[in-house]
Amino acid sequence: MRLNSPQINIITKACMKASRSLIRDFGEIENLQVSSKGPGDFVTSADKRTEKIIIDELLKAHPDYGIITEETGIINEKNVNNRWVVDPIDGTVNFLNGVPHFAISIGYEEKEELKCGVIFDPIKNELFSAEKGNGAYLNNSRIRVSNKKNIKDALLVTGGPKLSSKIKDEIFSDYIKVTKNIPNVRRYGSAALDMAYVACGRFDGYWQRELNYWDIAAGIIILKEAGGFINIFDPDNKVPLKRNILASNSNIHEELRDLILKKNIE
Ligand code: IPD
Ligand code: CA
Ligand code: CA
C-alpha cells in the first residue's frame, strides 16, 4: 500500500515546490564559486528562501500547526499536538561547494510522536518517505535496511564534530573505537541522507553525536519503517532539541552500540 495520509501529501507537495527554487540556486553555485565574492551569502539566502517556501505551504494547509524550523525557529509554539519539523537544506556545506549531496527533510509528529516524514534529494530525484505502520519508500518502491550480519563487513557512515563542539575528544574516540574494528566508515555531510541510505540498505549503520532534531526527525520514522533499529543515547536534558543517534540494521545494532559506548579504545 502506498502512503496516503493528508500530512504526507502536504509534506511532499512542499518539498517539490521548494526543490524547484533549490535546484535553480544550486545551478548558480558554480558561477559564484569562481567569483571573488564566493557563494557564502548566496547560500544563506538560498537556505532562507527554501525554508520560506516550505513554511508558507505548511501554514497554508494548517495555519495552526506548530513548526520547528532550523532557520526561523519555532512557529505556533503552543501547538505540540501537531507539529512539522523542517530542515530546508541538510548538507549545506556540500551545497555551498557545489557537491550534489544534500536534501530537504520534513517530519511530522502528533503529541511528540513521529507519524511521517520525507527526505528529498532534488539532484538525484530521490524521495524517501514513510508513514507510521505503512512501511518506507524510495520513490515508488518499498525499501528495507540491509541484512548484513557480520559487523566487520559493514559499511558505516558518521558525521561531526562541528568546530564549536565541546566534546571533540569524545567524538574522535568514538571514531577510533569503531574504525579499529570496522574498516569502512564514510563521512558524507548530510545526516538526513545518511539515515535515508541506511533505510534503503546502501549503508548498514550510522551514528553521530550533537545533532539537531530537524536533522533527523524525518530520518527516524523512515528508518523505523524500513525495519531499522534506532538508539538515542547519552541524552542531554538541558538542550531539548539535541540528539546523539545510532541507527542500523537489527543484526549489527547491539555490537555497534557496545563498541561506541564502551569506555576504552581497544
Ligand atoms: C548538518 C549535516 C551534517 C552534520 C551536521 C549537521 P546542515 O546539517 O547534517 O551531516 O554532520 O551535524 O548540522 O547544517 O547541513 O543542515
Ligand atoms: Ca541539518
Ligand atoms: Ca540545514
Side-chain angles (χ1 to χ4, degrees), residues 151-152 154 156 177-185 256 259:
I151 198 166
K152 296 231 178 293
L156 304 179
K177 284 184 280 184
V178 173
T179 48
K180 277 204 158 191
N181 292 275
I182 303 157
N184 292 313
V185 179
L256 187 57
L259 208 53

Side-chain angles (χ1 to χ4, degrees), residues 200-217:
C200 68
R202 291 175 185 164
F203 293 136
D204 305 300
Y206 165 65
W207 87 95
Q208 184 166 349
R209 290 182 192 260
E210 297 190 308
L211 288 156
N212 290 301
Y213 187 45
W214 52 78
D215 297 318
I216 54 171

Side-chain angles (χ1 to χ4, degrees), residues 129-185:
S129 59
E131 201 174 79
K132 192 164 189 281
N134 272 334
Y137 289 80
L138 165 49
N139 296 335
N140 285 315
S141 306
R142 195 69 192 258
I143 51 172
R144 272 201 71 75
V145 290
S146 74
N147 191 28
K148 209 169 283 168
K149 293 188 173 62
N150 187 344
I151 198 166
K152 296 231 178 293
D153 298 333
L155 178 59
L156 304 179
V157 64
T158 187
K162 292 198 168 98
L163 204 56
S164 57
S165 172
K166 302 228 167 15
I167 56 159
K168 286 201 185 88
D169 288 349
E170 212 168 327
I171 290 172
F172 289 130
S173 144
D174 291 344
Y175 185 78
I176 295 169
K177 284 184 280 184
V178 173
T179 48
K180 277 204 158 191
N181 292 275
I182 303 157
N184 292 313
V185 179

